[in-house]
Amino acid sequence: MDRVPILRIGDVLLVSIQVDLQDDIALALQDDLSQRIVDTGAKGVLIDISALEIVDSFVGRMISTTAAVSRVLDAETVVVGMQPAVAITLVELGLTLSGVRTALDVDRGLAILAGRESGVVAEADDDDQLDD
Amino acid sequence: MTSSTTEPTTYAVAADADVVRVRQAVRDLAVQAKFSLVDQTKLVTATSELARNTLVYGGGGEALVALLDKAGRPGIEIWFRDEGPGIPDLDLALTDGWTSGGGMGLGLSGAKRLVDEFEVDTAPDRGTRVRIVKWRR
């Protein structure tokens, strides 16, 4: 079975999903990320889904669970790069990814995670935009 | 009004990789039929939900994919068939948030919202057949 690679940049784990995600690979990624957070003490997880053509309820659940688990492990998850057609479909499907922070691209996602570290974003859960 | 159906192509749904294969086949057909990107995405997402149901709850089965034509308007019809235990309470299964397995309970109800036609034929011990159609706008 293929695995999605996890890159470490400083104390951020970066995942860029470049394959049509099948369920067992998505589950393996969820497990791998949790383990890597513990192993590395990472404070942030950035998941780039710009290459994903769909996000269905299974992948949506994987993303929500990953965000929840990383929060418990003292790391924040930001999902970046969702395509507009995917966002429209996701909402119509009934998924809102509540509790998951999102950003338009990797740069903004990294800025959110950097802001958390330096304490710029005081209430990360409510603010979607980073105040510079 | 003329209507026609191409001979459906049958895909086995017996493993996670098969779900991906059915998704890709439906995507290719939706591109060929010149669906908008949003409609392609909605149809492929519904396909993914239903193919997974066939695999996880139906114990595997098959998906039949056909191109329709209604007075020059293309549509895509997909049947999902399994010989599994069936859905005991269909109304309940179509309720948002209800799930019998570890899912989010959005598979059936969510898929229904994403397509134009949605029919389920199911009974305990008779398996489940789901038919969906999406027309090009």
Side-chain angles (χ1 to χ4, degrees):
Chain A
M1 184 184 77
D2 293 334
R3 288 185 111 82
V4 179
I6 301 170
L7 308 177
R8 182 186 177 187
I9 304 171
D11 53 11
V12 172
L13 298 178
L14 175 64
V15 176
S16 186
I17 302 170
Q18 298 291 328
V19 294
D20 196 338
L21 210 51
Q22 68 184 53
D23 292 1
D24 50 358
I25 297 177
L27 282 180
L29 174 60
Q30 182 181 314
D31 293 349
D32 290 349
L33 267 174
S34 311
Q35 189 61 49
R36 285 292 295 277
I37 291 169
V38 172
D39 291 346
T40 64
K43 291 294 180 189
V45 176
L46 197 74
I47 304 177
D48 171 24
I49 60 166
S50 57
L52 275 191
E53 293 184 332
I54 62 158
V55 172
D56 61 14
S57 65
F58 192 89
V59 173
R61 182 161 63 114
M62 185 276 282
I63 290 172
S64 292
T65 304
T66 299
V69 169
S70 62
R71 198 174 302 123
V72 172
L73 296 173
D74 193 28
E76 183 170 7
T77 300
V78 181
V79 173
V80 305
M82 187 183 294
Q83 294 177 15
V86 173
I88 291 167
T89 302
L90 199 62
V91 170
E92 197 152 322
L93 186 64
L95 277 177
T96 55
L97 296 187
S98 59
V100 180
R101 298 213 63 184
T102 56
L104 285 182
D105 54 38
V106 172
D107 278 346
R108 293 181 203 210
L110 285 173
I112 287 173
L113 293 174
R116 178 206 196 235
E117 247 183 55
S118 60
V120 174
V121 178
E123 290 167 80
D125 284 344
D126 299 322
D127 292 342
D128 282 326
Q129 297 263 310
L130 179 65
D131 296 324
D132 290 321
Chain B
M1 190 171 77
T2 58
S3 65
S4 67
T5 307
T6 60
E7 193 63 26
T9 308
T10 304
Y11 300 88
V13 181
D16 286 340
D18 294 333
V19 175
V20 172
R21 209 164 293 128
V22 175
R23 279 198 314 236
Q24 285 167 350
V26 170
R27 167 78 69 177
D28 289 347
L29 205 56
V31 169
Q32 187 190 321
K34 297 193 167 61
F35 276 47
S36 72
L37 181 58
V38 170
D39 281 345
Q40 287 173 35
T41 306
K42 287 181 181 178
L43 180 61
V44 174
T45 304
T47 299
S48 187
E49 299 293 346
L50 297 172
R52 181 179 300 106
N53 282 356
T54 298
L55 178 65
V56 175
Y57 301 111
E62 57 189 15
L64 284 76
V65 183
L67 192 59
L68 309 183
D69 182 294
K70 190 166 70 181
R73 188 184 182 200
I76 294 174
E77 177 184 56
I78 311 164
W79 286 88
F80 301 88
R81 306 199 294 213
D82 67 60
E83 306 296 326
I87 305 170
D89 188 337
L90 185 58
D91 288 341
L92 184 63
L94 279 166
T95 307
D96 271 356
W98 183 86
T99 175
S100 66
M104 299 190 82
L106 292 171
L108 268 188
S109 56
K112 185 180 179 183
R113 279 193 293 272
L114 296 174
V115 296
D116 298 317
E117 296 175 29
F118 181 94
E119 293 160 29
V120 184
D121 176 20
T122 186
D125 302 322
R126 194 154 58 76
T128 300
R129 279 157 181 60
V130 181
R131 173 184 173 269
I132 60 172
V133 177
K134 195 162 184 72
W135 297 99
R136 192 177 78 194
R137 277 189 287 177

